[in-house]
Structure formats: C-alpha cells, structure tokens
Amino acid sequence: MDWPLLAPLPPDARDAVVSAARRRTFGKGEVVFHEGDPADALHLVTSGHLAVQVATPDGERATLNVLGPGAHVGELALMPNDAPRQRSATVLALDPAETRVLSATAFHSVRDKFPAVNQILVYLLADRVRELSDRLLETMYVGLDRRVYRCLLRLGRVYADGPPPTLIPMTQDQLSDLVGGTRPSVNQVLQRLQDQRIIELGRGRVVVLNPQALARKAGL
C-alpha cells in the first residue's frame, strides 16, 4: 500500500515508519476512535472506508469527510506538544476496514533514527491548512449545486474500483452534511442530475454514471 503522506520519505525511512505501525481491523460500523478520546496515534488507511463525524449542538452527528485507502486520519497526535491532546472528531468504519496505527511514541522513536521523517510533520501541517482553506473558500464562494457536484466527484474517487459506473454507498443526509446543505435542497440537485442521466439514485446510494459530465458541471 502506498500512502501519499509517506511518498516524500527516502525508502529506508518510509519502511521504518510502516514497520513501526501496527495493523488493526474494524468491522462495519465499528468506531476507530471517539471524539474526546486521547489523541495518541495516526491511522494510515489500508483498505475500506472511514467516516469522520462530529457532534452537533442538537446532539446529532454530522459527517465531515469520507476516507479511503491511502488516506490518513488523527495526524494531530504526532504534533509536538507538552499538553495532552484529544480527538476532535469520531471516526468509524463504513465497511470492513484496515489501518496501520502509528503511535506518537513509535513515530518519535523512528524520527530520532531517521531525521527525514520530520518531513511528515511539514506535510501534515500543509495538508491541513490547504484542506481548511479549500473548504472555507468553497463554502463562501461556491453555490450548492457545484458543491454537490464536487462532493460526488471526490467520493467517486474514494470509492472507484475500476471504470464507471461508481457506486457511492451514502445516504442523502450524509451528502447534505458533507456539502453543508439541507436535505431537500441537496435532493433537488441530485434529482436534476438523475434526470440528465449523470447519476442514478437508489436507497442509501448514489451511482455516478458519467464523471466527465459531472466534472464539466463542477467547473473542473
């Protein structure tokens, strides 16, 4: 498995990081970690899909992101800090999943032997800033229709397993969380896409039939 996070590292340092990470498996619906738990390890996703969720003021759960193989989550655990850190979100497995768990202790031990591993921290900080900036700009300046198009394209890449069509096993409530819209408004956008034969809707799923047309509509 190749993780973009580790790509900048020399082969020996990359192998040392992977060797220091222990393998964990999760069943569908199993929680990887809870919001508020001690932040003590980074997870490298090997297989399956994970949902990143937070609690809303009314006690519901909102889905912020969906991660697939090659992604990482829990990166704040590796940042130098004397004060204990807590998880800022709950992560659960949407289907059977496997991760490599790199504890903060193991990471710092590897970093002592391979100083090049410090590049991971630079990558993590840059990636977090870029992600937050992109989300802020999209929320402020991109209309709901295009946010839905772009979200479907991102999810299509996460769930792609060969050429189209691509099945995205997510509900419209979850899609609404991801784009920051209401379910009725998102449903209207999805219905228009279905009428244009760009997607197909089903119970708890969206099938992307024509990603090229979706990308044109998204302005990408």
Side-chain angles (χ1 to χ4, degrees):
M1 181 71 218
D2 293 325
W3 292 275
L5 174 65
L6 306 182
L9 299 181
D12 56 348
R14 185 166 58 247
D15 292 344
V17 170
V18 174
S19 296
R22 69 185 189 278
R23 176 177 172 270
R24 281 199 63 188
T25 58
F26 303 91
K28 180 179 179 180
E30 187 175 353
V31 173
V32 178
F33 53 74
H34 289 277
E35 183 176 356
D37 282 352
D40 55 4
L42 168 78
H43 287 257
L44 301 167
V45 185
T46 303
S47 63
H49 301 88
L50 308 179
V52 181
Q53 301 180 334
V54 295
T56 63
D58 58 3
E60 299 294 325
R61 288 223 158 266
T63 301
L64 299 182
N65 205 358
V66 176
L67 308 173
H72 60 271
V73 65
E75 62 273 12
L76 290 181
L78 304 188
M79 299 299 171
N81 190 8
D82 293 334
R85 293 184 183 274
Q86 292 183 326
R87 299 294 190 187
S88 58
T90 294
V91 174
L92 59 84
L94 294 173
D95 43 41
E98 178 182 312
T99 70
R100 289 295 190 97
V101 186
L102 180 65
S103 70
T105 301
F107 172 76
H108 294 304
S109 177
V110 172
R111 191 178 63 165
D112 290 341
K113 298 176 183 177
F114 299 93
V117 171
N118 280 308
Q119 294 179 50
I120 290 181
L121 297 178
V122 176
Y123 181 98
L124 289 171
L125 287 172
D127 189 55
R128 172 57 68 92
V129 171
R130 181 173 58 251
E131 179 185 353
L132 293 175
S133 298
D134 288 348
R135 282 180 176 268
L136 178 62
L137 289 172
E138 194 169 86
T139 302
M140 292 180 64
Y141 299 110
V142 178
L144 177 64
D145 286 33
R146 282 198 170 184
R147 296 207 304 274
V148 172
Y149 307 153
R150 293 180 179 186
C151 179
L152 290 175
L153 286 170
R154 286 194 295 269
L155 291 172
R157 289 191 292 269
V158 170
Y159 280 99
D161 186 22
T166 301
L167 190 152
I168 301 170
M170 300 198 70
T171 67
Q172 292 188 29
D173 284 329
Q174 290 172 313
L175 291 174
S176 300
D177 289 341
L178 289 170
V179 301
T182 64
R183 189 185 187 282
S185 297
V186 170
N187 177 260
Q188 291 177 9
V189 178
L190 294 174
Q191 289 293 342
R192 288 194 293 270
L193 289 175
Q194 179 167 249
D195 292 342
Q196 297 163 20
R197 300 184 184 279
I198 295 175
I199 67 169
E200 179 181 283
L201 298 175
R203 185 177 180 82
R205 66 186 177 91
V206 178
V207 180
V208 178
L209 304 174
N210 191 337
Q212 292 81 12
L214 196 58
R216 287 194 295 271
K217 294 179 74 67
L220 302 175

